[in-house]
Amino acid sequence: MTLTANWSYPTAVRFGAGRISEIADACKAAGITKPLLVTDRGLANMEITTRTLDLLEAASMGRAIFADVDPNPNEKNAEAGVKAFNEGGHDGVVAFGGGSGLDLGKLVAFLAGQTRPLWDFEDIGDWWTRADADAIAPIVAVPTTAGTGSEVGRASVITNSETEEKKIIFHPKFLPSVVICDPELTVGMPQFITAGTGLDAFAHCVEAFSSPHYHPMSQGMALEGMRLVKEYLPRAYADGTDLEARAHMMSAAAMGATAFQKGLGAIHALSHPIGAMYHTHHGTTNAVCMPAVLKFNAPAIRGVFDKAARYLDIDGGFDGFCAFVDDFNALFQVPRNLGELGIETPDIDRIVAGALKDPSTGGNPVEMTEENTRKLLLQIV
């Protein structure tokens, strides 16, 4: 099988090794003539970034980069990015990197032409309709990790640095016009990032599959996404140059993010406040939370995971799947609890309060009351 393709779901995706060479053409297809490349500080001077800037410059599209992006991007990063975009006279964004670069890049393209403040567009009710849709700049997304799937998402996760809360900013036009998924860009990821981002993709698939909402297309995508992570994350972790494994993991990341239109759940509801408060890696935090959440949701999800286990070639149905998750985490040296994650005295009250306010609670198959959310959190302390 040749792992190169053009997809049109959920947007135009150019998938395959070496396709970063098409970045200038992708910008033209999106209507961008003077892009601002937005990425995080760690990627700013890496070869994959400078090569991408070289390609844009060679196509007479300039050489502009904004990299003042924190691992958990916040409103200060957004303000600085919008200033760079507007002062540079840019007409579109190349969102480049992992979840932080992608989310912040999409947000800069969204906010640059708006007159209302950032938090007016939080994913609450129909707040997204407050935006001037015609003022949203086009976006080309280039993931350099295989985890968040933000390249095919319609939202950005942004931390409010004052309240230490993660907020979801949503608009349909957050969905990039063109995506380049080039597995060669992920070859340089260190093992712990390969594991953490891959487990983020796995969490997206698990939670989408667990969600009680009706969306058979997402259900099928979540199931196959779990299979790809199960089979190929160990290979990518063991050998970062395994392009076949890297390609399948990029697919799994995009599939997980597309699938969770069906809903997320308690894993993310807990992970978001923990990450906002203690600046932990999102995918790793998801993995820490997953075993306890699976058991918490067991009464509602046992049946569907009995079926999933058969497809995934896991013996023992739901219980076998839970055992697999424990072993999978151990394979990647995932901490077993918040203490091992470096959070020895977590603020239980604040984490619970944050979890109950998180939109992800709406996709959990078991109701998250204050009492049972507290009990759940105490299992991972």
Side-chain angles (χ1 to χ4, degrees):
M1 181 189 302
T2 301
L3 299 179
T4 302
N6 292 338
W7 300 328
S8 58
Y9 181 74
T11 188
V13 179
R14 303 183 184 198
F15 189 98
R19 299 197 71 175
I20 191 60
S21 63
E22 301 174 26
I23 184 64
D25 185 68
C27 286
K28 291 176 184 176
I32 301 172
T33 61
K34 191 178 181 182
L36 175 67
L37 188 146
V38 178
T39 191
D40 62 71
R41 298 184 186 93
L43 279 171
N45 296 311
M46 290 187 67
E47 189 272 337
I48 56 174
T49 311
T50 57
R51 178 157 54 97
T52 302
L53 290 168
D54 289 345
L55 291 165
L56 292 171
E57 187 174 34
S60 300
M61 290 186 169
R63 189 186 186 89
I65 182 171
F66 174 79
D68 188 14
V69 180
D70 293 321
N72 289 301
N74 56 51
E75 79 285 356
K76 296 176 183 177
N77 302 151
E79 182 180 359
V82 167
K83 181 179 180 182
F85 183 94
N86 288 329
E87 290 184 351
H90 299 288
D91 60 358
V93 165
V94 173
F96 189 94
S100 55
L102 295 173
D103 277 5
L104 204 282
K106 287 162 38 177
L107 188 67
V108 167
F110 170 76
L111 279 179
Q114 305 302 320
T115 58
R116 300 181 70 134
L118 167 61
W119 306 123
D120 277 7
F121 305 110
E122 189 178 347
D123 188 16
I124 297 174
D126 65 352
W127 284 16
W128 65 272
T129 62
R130 296 171 170 177
D132 179 356
D134 293 334
I136 301 172
I139 303 161
V140 171
V142 183
T144 63
T145 65
T148 69
S150 183
E151 66 273 11
V152 293
R154 301 172 299 166
S156 289
V157 179
I158 303 296
T159 299
N160 184 321
S161 62
E162 295 183 4
T163 64
E164 294 185 313
E165 295 176 295
K166 285 193 176 184
K167 302 288 189 177
I168 297 175
I169 311 299
F170 167 84
H171 194 281
K173 290 188 72 172
F174 267 77
L175 183 66
S177 300
V178 184
V179 176
I180 293 179
C181 283
D182 183 344
E184 290 183 352
L185 302 181
T186 69
V187 165
M189 277 196 295
Q191 276 193 320
F192 79 97
I193 297 295
T194 296
T197 54
L199 292 170
D200 190 24
F202 189 65
H204 293 159
C205 293
V206 168
E207 291 220 281
F209 196 77
S210 302
S211 169
H213 303 311
Y214 180 71
H215 200 322
M217 290 179 286
S218 287
Q219 195 76 345
M221 192 168 288
L223 182 59
E224 176 64 2
M226 283 189 274
R227 185 190 70 81
L228 290 177
V229 177
K230 174 179 178 287
E231 294 192 15
Y232 292 102
L233 182 56
R235 281 177 48 176
Y237 182 77
D239 178 7
T241 65
D242 184 338
L243 271 181
E244 181 184 27
R246 291 294 196 187
H248 284 305
M249 284 305 302
M250 289 200 96
S251 292
M255 292 164 71
T258 304
F260 74 59
Q261 292 183 35
K262 182 172 177 278
L264 291 171
I267 293 173
H268 279 77
L270 291 171
S271 181
H272 283 155
I274 291 169
M277 292 167 60
Y278 302 105
H279 311 293
T280 55
H281 184 271
H282 175 65
T284 304
T285 310
N286 282 341
V288 171
C289 296
M290 185 179 294
V293 172
L294 286 170
K295 293 177 176 62
F296 174 76
N297 287 331
I301 66 174
R302 179 177 293 275
V304 293
F305 275 90
D306 283 342
K307 298 175 183 177
R310 291 197 294 271
Y311 181 77
L312 297 170
D313 198 24
I314 294 172
D315 294 330
F318 172 74
D319 293 328
F321 181 84
C322 291
F324 162 77
V325 168
D326 289 337
D327 293 341
F328 210 49
N329 279 356
L331 175 65
F332 304 115
Q333 303 179 58
V334 171
R336 291 169 297 179
N337 51 50
L338 295 186
E340 290 187 6
L341 193 61
I343 308 171
E344 296 183 358
T345 54
D347 189 329
I348 301 296
D349 291 340
R350 284 188 66 197
I351 295 173
V352 169
L356 293 174
K357 289 193 292 184
D358 193 278
S360 301
T361 58
N364 203 65
V366 174
E367 183 183 3
M368 294 177 66
T369 64
E370 181 175 355
E371 180 180 4
N372 62 28
T373 302
R374 184 177 298 273
K375 290 179 180 177
L376 173 59
L377 178 59
L378 289 172
Q379 292 179 44
I380 63 171
V381 169

